Amino acid sequence: MRAWLAVGALVTAAAVLAEGEGLLTGGNVVSQLEAAQRAVAERATTLPASELGTAATRLGEMAEAVRKAVGKESGKRIDRIDDDDEGRALRGQAAALLSQSYLVAASGCTDGDATAMAAALATAVDSLAAARNSSKSAQPAIQGVVTAADNRPLFAIHADQRDAKLVLTGVNLHDAACDDPKLVATDPAGVPLSAQPTITGLAPTRIELRLPPGLVPGPYLLRLKPMKKARFIGCSVQPEAVAALAVVAAPKWTIRYSVVPSCRIKTGKKYAETAQAAVSGQLPDLTAFGSTVSQALSLPACDDPVSYAISATAAYADGSEASIGPITQSAAAGITAGLPGGVSLSWDPQVRQLFATASGGRCKGFY
């Protein structure tokens, strides 16, 4: 939990900040779930085609289930209530943390990317809501997937990634007195992948892993079955904990542009500023973060240019588009503008060239 707070998960607070891990109560979990439900429902209004509405409904159901389960014991620490109720509270807290992390991670994303991430969130929340304790179990709960390098909340991966190193964070994920947990990657139907992730590090609240390369676009589940040692009976398999990830097509940006020069033209004894015919075209595709493309433009003859007006539309691999402009500057000044999805567009009037760079980094929830 402290790791999530460190990366900025927007958890409502009387819940976590004021207490510390060992003082979490059922009432706190209900408050977290209700806050997450409201925030996700609000975000769903801007992404109507996503599964955020479904996730919001499920969060509300989980809040009600925890409220009924803890009843008059809502102010009691969850480690002092019935084991099954404790498991339900831990899973509720995990759902709230995942939801709040999504809201942070999806800022700056295109609608298509945010929608793909929302599908992973909805799957994870649904799994947490449906999970049940087994007898004498220490319920594991995956509170999130983060990048190994910088602890960023992660919901999706581009298909061209070759060495994705991830971390599952949560509770009751490993017992050092027992064998390593089983980790299996499957499709949504439960069919295991031909190549499986490799566990590279283990702790009770942290499972480090490396994903196999070559994942094709689609939804995936990471199914974890930890072991737990109990007095007199040794180690036993615990209930399954599930994390969800979306794999989407490799990044691609197609930039269409229109440049309208304005010239000072003499008519008789007077000069007038006149817009010339637009010059339109398409830049070479950008296919990798950090890449740059350019194109020289053949503009109408103009002895005395006054200004240039630039308009552009970026089409993304997810099928969405975003536009800017017209942006007008004097003929002596360059133009630099940003497009959603991490693309920077620049116009250099001295050489009459357009440049586009895929800077990336704005959509935090992608590897």
Side-chain angles (χ1 to χ4, degrees):
M1 181 172 64
R2 293 189 182 100
W4 280 104
L5 294 175
V7 298
L10 301 178
V11 182
T12 316
V16 178
L17 290 174
E19 304 165 316
E21 291 179 354
L23 301 181
L24 186 68
T25 69
N28 298 148
V29 173
V30 172
S31 296
Q32 291 182 52
L33 282 165
E34 290 176 338
Q37 187 273 333
R38 290 191 297 269
V40 171
E42 181 177 354
R43 182 69 172 96
T45 63
T46 64
L47 283 176
S50 74
E51 295 184 39
L52 289 181
T54 300
T57 298
R58 202 63 150 155
L59 290 164
E61 292 171 351
M62 293 182 76
E64 184 60 26
V66 174
R67 181 185 291 106
K68 289 181 178 179
V70 298
K72 295 180 180 179
E73 296 184 311
S74 63
K76 185 180 292 187
R77 284 166 41 172
I78 64 170
D79 59 350
R80 295 183 177 178
I81 61 178
D82 176 80
D83 287 346
D84 193 54
D85 294 339
E86 179 186 5
R88 185 178 286 105
L90 287 173
R91 294 189 295 271
Q93 185 197 30
L97 289 170
L98 278 165
S99 302
Q100 298 290 0
S101 294
Y102 169 85
L103 298 173
V104 174
S107 62
C109 301
T110 64
D111 285 356
D113 286 347
T115 297
M117 292 165 55
L121 171 66
T123 298
V125 170
D126 189 67
S127 172
L128 287 162
R132 295 292 182 268
N133 284 30
S134 61
S135 178
K136 304 291 185 181
S137 65
Q139 176 64 44
I142 296 174
Q143 296 173 334
V145 184
V146 301
T147 55
D150 54 7
N151 274 341
R152 282 187 298 105
L154 187 67
F155 291 85
I157 297 175
H158 285 116
D160 60 343
Q161 288 295 330
R162 291 294 177 265
D163 189 27
K165 298 175 182 177
L166 315 180
V167 178
L168 306 180
T169 64
V171 293
N172 298 324
L173 303 182
H174 174 57
D175 188 334
C178 299
D179 291 340
D180 292 353
K182 303 288 186 184
L183 178 63
V184 178
T186 75
D187 66 13
V191 178
L193 306 184
S194 57
Q196 288 293 319
T198 303
I199 293 178
T200 58
L202 289 166
T205 60
R206 184 178 176 91
I207 306 290
E208 299 176 6
L209 62 103
R210 180 183 284 110
L211 286 181
L215 295 177
V216 299
Y220 293 91
L221 302 177
L222 298 175
R223 301 175 179 271
L224 183 75
K225 289 187 177 180
M227 305 286 287
K228 181 71 175 179
K229 186 173 184 179
R231 186 180 298 178
F232 306 125
I233 63 173
C235 295
S236 59
V237 178
Q238 300 301 291
E240 183 179 73
V242 176
L245 282 174
V247 175
V248 304
K252 178 182 176 182
W253 301 264
T254 301
I255 312 297
R256 303 188 301 273
Y257 63 82
S258 175
V259 179
V260 178
S262 289
C263 298
R264 186 176 288 107
I265 298 176
K266 185 176 183 180
T267 303
K269 295 183 178 182
K270 296 182 178 181
Y271 288 85
E273 183 178 326
T274 304
Q276 305 299 296
V279 175
S280 301
Q282 181 174 303
L283 293 173
D285 287 341
L286 290 159
T287 56
F289 290 108
S291 60
T292 297
V293 295
S294 64
Q295 191 170 90
L297 273 59
S298 178
L299 298 174
C302 184
D303 294 332
D304 190 7
V306 176
S307 64
Y308 295 101
I310 308 279
S311 300
T313 297
Y316 304 97
D318 61 26
S320 63
E321 292 189 348
S323 299
I324 58 170
I327 300 171
T328 303
Q329 272 283 22
S330 71
I335 296 175
T336 298
L339 281 154
V343 175
S344 176
L345 185 70
S346 299
W347 163 248
D348 186 338
Q350 303 305 314
V351 294
R352 296 186 176 184
Q353 275 190 295
L354 270 175
F355 299 84
T357 300
S359 55
R362 296 187 182 184
C363 186
K364 300 175 182 177
F366 267 77
Y367 194 91

